[in-house]
Structures are given as structure tokens and as C-alpha cells.
Amino acid sequence: MIEVKDVYFTYPNGTEALKGVSLQITNGEFVAIMGQNGAGKTTLVKHFNGLLKPTMGKVLVDEVDTRHVSVATLSRKVGFVFQNPDHQLFSETVEDEISFALKNFGFDEKKIRERVDWALNILDLTRYRKTSPFMLSGGERKRLALASVLAWDPKILILDEPTIGQDRNQKERLRQFILQMNHQGKTVVIVTHDIEFVAECEPRVVLMANGKIVADGAARNVLTDPDLISRSWLILPEITNVLLNLNDLGFPTNVMDVYEARDLIIERIGWARK
Amino acid sequence: MSMFDGLKFRNISSPIHRIDPRTKFIYVLTFFIVAVFFNQLIPLLILFFSQIPLIIIAKVKKEWLRLIKGSSFFATIIFIMNVISLYFYSGYSSFASIIEQASAMTVRFIVLVESFSIFFLTTSPDMLGLSLEQIGIPYEFCFAFTTAIRFVPVLAEEAQTIIDAQRARGLELEGGNLMKRIRNYIPILIPLIVNAIRRSLELAEAMESRAWGATEKRTTLYMLKMERRDYCLILISALMLAASVYAWLFIKIPTLTQILNIQG
């Protein structure tokens, strides 16, 4: 469980990135933190594994104050996948890349081999085991970065902008994967401004603007609120937008699922034919 | 990365910012030479304090203080190395004079850092490139030089992100013996270097697709012009150099230990 209690954070250069954020993420939740660039999303999640410590207020991870433990200790519990895989890949082979963190955390030889095999398999990288990470494509590098974190099986998984640079297919696979992880009981926090992706995942949405939380609730309520979305400098999901424009024909405004929209439209067409 | 902030251009307006970069460079170079002339504590301290008004005029006090704080690590090493080597190689010196000589070397280092920081804090990379160009250095070299300077803060920021990413994978930078500490930096240096190379290739392609080097003679939007204040500063630099050469040749500068002994 992550508890953020009235946290303020100011960067050394004087930028106030967080201005009084309070938030609670319980075990097994799936949360999307959204907002435009510079809203404070990444700054907030960097508090979850202690990379940043609050200037004021406090952050508790499983009741432990992040100010009193090292990043390494917290990371064992909170896996953080950075936005750009090129900021972390350095090993000679894909295999070594995945075992890096496991060695840091002091897993034994046998366990390391087991975990590496598992991670390679689950992210479909087994055939690249002996390849250099630098020879992989962008999407594969991103998967490798994810594998290298998942390998130590953290309880909480944080993904910073996981959809950037991914094509539609890869996004769909990522979505399946995240949902699967979540169903297996992992707490998943994604930081993104990809509203379509979030609309498809339907997690709890925490909307941020100017270092503050402006909305917190089910995706269906937050993402379909035109006023809220435009105030946060985002754009409504396409489906919501279409139905919103058909509102004067009696369509509801809080739909963001393709299949639901289809059913509504079919129902309406049938009704018109009668 | 707070130390690098002390070498990063601050885009504010001050009389120091407006001085021609060439003049400023001559001034900094003079300071540099003078600092190397003297190895006694008193003149070096005078040099150190004489630059503080400039820093206040240039409104870069905060960044400058941060740089001094950042360089204190190297300063400490210099001090300790000097104390050790003076102790072993100049057997007959008193302890007080060893400390004084070691402090002098430390202050010299800080003066050198300080003068460079004034230059870089108040000179925009573009201006620097322009001045290099106008003293006749080929544009290719000027461009390479300005680009290198421009990318220092970018690299510093990237290094910080990489450090964060690896710490999030359980890397602990502190602790361990020397070999382990050096090895700890491999996961940081490799992504940093790989990204730098990748970025430079991309930059080269982007530059070429914007017709870089298409014409022999480039024109510039701004032209640098020396003004009266620039000539004044050059004169001051020259006088400072002359005075210190004179002092170096003809005046025996007392050490602090001697002065204190006379008084006590």
C-alpha cells in the first residue's frame, strides 16, 4: 500500500513540482496517473520508490516512511520501469541485463537462472537471450526494460509512459500484459498521457495538473468529463467525443468503450427503423 | 548535478553579461596566469576575494556558491595531498607553514574554478561561438565547440536519469571498496556514452538535412563589437598582469605564518 500524505516537492532549481498531493493506492489496484507534460506525474511516482524524497509531507510504502529507507530496499518492493529503456540498458547480453538487478538484490545463482528464464519467456525475448541489448528494436528494448524489472517480482509495478514509441499491436499486447499482472495481484501504476490506452484499460484514474490532483475516480467518470479533461489540457477519447457530438440525438456522454458505443448505435438504428 | 549548474550559462541581464566574450576571456586568462604566478596564501586570498564583487554584479551568487560547494570535494583532496607531500618532502618546515602552503594550493584551485565559472555563467554558448568565429577560427571548429558546451547540461541531466534508473534496479553507488565503486559506475557510463554517440549521429543527420555547410561563407545575425567598457576591462587586466609580474619579481611577499609570528 502506498500512502502519499500532503506532499510538496520542489526541485533544487526552484521548480515546485508537487503542491500538496494526497493519495492512497491499496494493494492490487490498477491506477493510471494522467496529466499533460509537466503536471508532476513522474515526480509523484519517483516518490514511490524513494528516488525523490518529499520536501514537505510524507510518503509511506507499506507503512514505512520512504525518507528512512534506501532506494534499493524500496525497489525490492516497488519496481520502476523508466520511460526510455536506453537510460538503463548497458549489459553485453539480454540475459545479463535481466540478471543485473537480481544480483544487486542478492538472489542466489539458481534463483537468478530461474527468474531470468521466466522473465525472458513472459515478455517473449527468449530467442534474444545472447543478443546485445543495443541490437534490439525500440519495442524490444522497451520489453527488455520491463523484463529486467519484472524479474525480481516486485509487489508494486510502476510504468512511466509505457506506450510511448509502441505501435498499436504492441500497445494491445502491453495492455493484456498489464491486466494479467494486475489480475495476479500486483499493484500497477502507470504514468501516461495516452488517453486512448487508459480508456481501453479502464483503471482508476488520477488526473494531475500543475502539481495537484484535480480528479480521482473510475476512468469512466474522469475521462468522459469534457470540462475536466480540457482543463487538464488533455483531449477526450475518440469514442466519447463521437457520442458527445451525437448528444442531441439522445446518446449518453459517458461512454468510452467501442463495443458499448456500437451497441448503443445499433439499438438507436433499430429504434429509428421501427 | 548541482555542481554543473555553476558552469551553466544563466540568461539574465547584468553589466557582466554584456561584456564582449573576447574581453571576458582575456580577463579570465589574466586571472588564471596571476593565480599560477603566486604560491603564497595572501595574494591568492586577495585574488579570491577580489572576484566576489563581480559575482554579485553578475547576479549569479547562488550558482557560484553551489559550484564552490561542489568543488569542495576536490579542494579537500588537493589540501590533503599537499599536506602529505609537503610533510614528507620538505622535512624542515613547521607544521603551520605546511598547512599554509597546502591552503594556498587549495585556494589557487578555487580561484581557477571561480574565474572559469564567472566566464561560463555569464557568457552564452552562442556568443562564445560567435566570438571564436570572429577571431577567424573555421566555422566547423566553432560549431563543434559550441555544440559540446551546449550539450554539457543535457548530458548532466541524462546522467541523473540514468543514475535514477539504475538505483531503481537496486544499484547502490555508495559503499564498497575502490574497485567496487569504480565498477558501480559501469551501468551509468555505458548508457550515457551510447546515448551520446547515438545523439551525435542523429544531430549530424539533422544538420545535414538542413543544409549545413552548403555555403562557404556564412553570415551572422549578430556582430560582436568592442565598446569602451571592453577596452577598459582589457586595460585593467593588463595592469593587473603588470602589477603581479612586478610583485612577483621585486616584492617579497610575507607568509601568514611570518606575520603572525611578528605580531605574537
Side-chain angles (χ1 to χ4, degrees):
Chain A
M1 177 144 115
I2 300 170
E3 288 166 279
V4 180
K5 292 185 173 167
D6 199 24
V7 164
Y8 287 78
F9 182 79
T10 309
Y11 278 102
N13 67 12
T15 316
E16 286 180 54
L18 297 179
K19 303 170 194 164
V21 170
S22 293
L23 180 69
Q24 222 179 56
I25 298 173
T26 48
N27 289 339
E29 248 188 313
F30 177 16
V31 182
I33 297 178
M34 303 195 66
Q36 69 163 156
N37 289 337
K41 303 171 299 224
T42 301
T43 307
L44 175 62
V45 291
K46 276 189 177 171
H47 279 82
F48 295 174
N49 69 345
L51 279 173
L52 297 177
K53 315 277 185 196
T55 314
M56 253 191 333
K58 59 182 167 183
V59 177
L60 305 177
V61 175
D62 283 343
E63 271 139 49
V64 177
D65 192 326
T66 58
R67 279 174 303 186
H68 305 319
V69 276
S70 71
V71 177
T73 315
L74 278 168
S75 295
R76 183 67 189 81
K77 229 180 248 173
V78 186
F80 194 126
V81 184
F82 274 64
Q83 180 176 336
N84 186 350
D86 295 336
H87 284 150
Q88 64 162 72
L89 303 181
F90 73 98
S91 305
E92 269 178 61
T93 63
V94 164
E95 195 174 37
D96 290 346
E97 192 65 57
I98 298 177
S99 57
F100 172 69
L102 302 175
K103 284 178 194 152
N104 287 334
F105 289 128
F107 283 52
D108 62 45
E109 211 37 55
K110 185 169 158 280
K111 190 90 182 157
I112 290 179
R113 239 176 294 132
E114 224 175 86
R115 297 304 307 169
V116 169
D117 287 346
W118 176 83
L120 284 170
N121 182 39
I122 199 161
L123 282 151
D124 195 20
L125 290 165
T126 311
R127 62 183 177 284
Y128 297 124
R129 185 186 276 271
K130 298 283 179 199
T131 313
S132 159
F134 299 110
M135 303 305 286
L136 301 180
S137 74
E140 287 159 349
R141 287 210 292 272
K142 200 122 183 161
R143 286 211 312 275
L144 174 55
L146 181 56
S148 72
V149 172
L150 272 179
W152 76 80
D153 197 25
K155 226 174 82 182
I156 301 166
L157 188 61
I158 299 170
L159 306 170
D160 192 359
E161 299 287 5
T163 61
I164 282 193
Q166 304 280 306
D167 63 32
R168 206 73 182 76
N169 277 321
Q170 286 167 334
K171 271 195 208 178
E172 181 51 28
R173 266 168 53 199
L174 180 70
R175 188 177 76 92
Q176 302 280 355
F177 185 77
I178 291 175
L179 291 176
Q180 185 192 338
M181 286 289 130
N182 185 231
H183 282 310
Q184 287 168 7
K186 265 198 210 324
T187 311
V188 180
V189 180
I190 63 173
V191 172
T192 182
H193 46 227
D194 188 336
I195 203 160
E196 299 295 339
F197 183 74
V198 177
E200 282 170 16
C201 296
E202 295 207 40
R204 165 181 167 198
V205 172
V206 173
L207 194 58
M208 293 186 72
N210 295 321
K212 285 184 186 143
I213 292 180
V214 291
D216 182 353
R220 199 186 165 90
N221 301 333
V222 178
L223 298 187
T224 58
D225 183 337
D227 210 35
L228 199 58
I229 292 298
S230 73
R231 262 193 288 130
S232 319
W233 303 101
L234 292 171
I235 289 176
L236 287 172
E238 296 288 356
I239 298 296
T240 314
N241 216 351
V242 169
L243 291 197
L244 190 69
N245 279 298
L246 295 174
N247 185 228
D248 47 1
L249 297 179
F251 282 103
T253 57
N254 65 342
V255 178
M256 49 176 209
D257 180 71
V258 181
Y259 301 102
E260 191 183 345
R262 190 193 69 153
D263 290 347
L264 283 167
I265 293 170
I266 288 175
E267 185 190 328
R268 190 51 53 100
I269 293 170
W271 174 79
R273 280 212 181 113
K274 265 181 224 163
Chain B
M1 292 296 118
S2 57
M3 189 183 156
F4 293 106
D5 282 352
L7 291 172
K8 203 159 80 181
F9 172 59
R10 288 293 123 154
N11 195 1
I12 36 180
S13 167
S14 84
I16 309 286
H17 283 72
R18 282 190 289 274
I19 295 172
D20 191 296
R22 291 168 288 184
T23 316
K24 238 184 291 183
F25 188 71
I26 292 172
Y27 174 77
V28 167
L29 204 64
T30 311
F31 243 94
F32 206 92
I33 295 167
V34 173
V36 177
F37 264 160
F38 295 103
N39 51 12
Q40 298 92 334
L41 187 59
I42 294 174
L44 286 166
L45 277 176
I46 294 171
L47 281 179
F48 175 77
F49 287 114
S50 67
Q51 299 203 62
I52 290 177
L54 286 184
I55 285 150
I56 293 168
I57 297 170
K59 300 182 207 154
V60 290
K61 211 166 52 202
K62 223 171 66 191
E63 292 78 18
W64 176 78
L65 276 175
R66 226 181 268 165
L67 180 76
I68 298 295
K69 230 190 276 165
S71 57
S72 60
F73 172 70
F74 293 104
T76 319
I77 291 181
I78 290 172
F79 183 77
I80 293 169
M81 294 303 280
N82 269 290
V83 168
I84 292 171
S85 62
L86 285 169
Y87 182 78
F88 285 109
Y89 296 107
S90 60
Y92 48 86
S93 308
S94 68
F95 191 63
S97 80
I98 286 177
I99 294 290
E100 178 169 350
Q101 281 182 58
S103 320
M105 291 304 109
T106 315
V107 174
R108 179 193 275 173
F109 165 73
I110 293 174
V111 168
L112 298 183
V113 171
E114 180 185 45
S115 48
F116 270 105
S117 102
I118 294 181
F119 182 74
F120 284 111
L121 278 169
T122 61
T123 310
S124 83
D126 295 339
M127 280 299 175
L128 197 58
L130 205 56
S131 58
L132 287 176
E133 228 174 295
Q134 291 185 3
I135 57 174
I137 292 170
Y139 177 61
E140 284 82 359
F141 293 102
C142 303
F143 180 79
F145 181 73
T146 23
T147 313
I149 289 182
R150 202 182 82 62
F151 275 103
V152 167
V154 177
L155 280 183
E157 202 172 297
E158 188 157 274
Q160 189 57 56
T161 311
I162 293 169
I163 290 173
D164 282 352
Q166 305 298 32
R167 283 175 75 204
R169 294 166 82 198
L171 176 71
E172 286 187 89
L173 288 174
E174 307 85 24
N177 57 23
L178 190 68
M179 268 322 281
K180 178 145 178 13
R181 276 175 186 233
I182 294 171
R183 224 177 302 133
N184 278 345
Y185 277 90
I186 293 174
I188 290 158
L189 288 176
I190 291 179
L192 193 63
I193 294 167
V194 169
N195 284 344
I197 293 171
R198 197 174 279 161
R199 179 176 302 120
S200 61
L201 291 175
E202 278 169 13
L203 182 68
E205 284 175 354
M207 296 295 304
E208 283 184 336
S209 48
R210 286 194 286 167
W212 194 79
T215 52
E216 201 66 12
K217 186 84 192 134
R218 280 178 90 253
T219 53
T220 51
L221 185 54
Y222 302 103
M223 292 295 282
L224 290 175
K225 221 174 123 252
M226 300 281 266
E227 284 174 36
R228 194 190 292 154
R229 58 164 177 258
D230 296 313
Y231 292 115
C232 278
L233 193 65
I234 291 179
L235 190 67
I236 292 172
S237 308
L239 287 176
M240 206 163 70
L241 193 64
S244 51
V245 170
Y246 177 80
W248 183 56
L249 288 175
F250 301 113
I251 299 174
K252 178 144 175 44
I253 298 160
T255 64
L256 207 57
T257 341
Q258 284 167 343
I259 295 174
L260 290 178
N261 274 347
I262 293 160
Q263 282 172 348

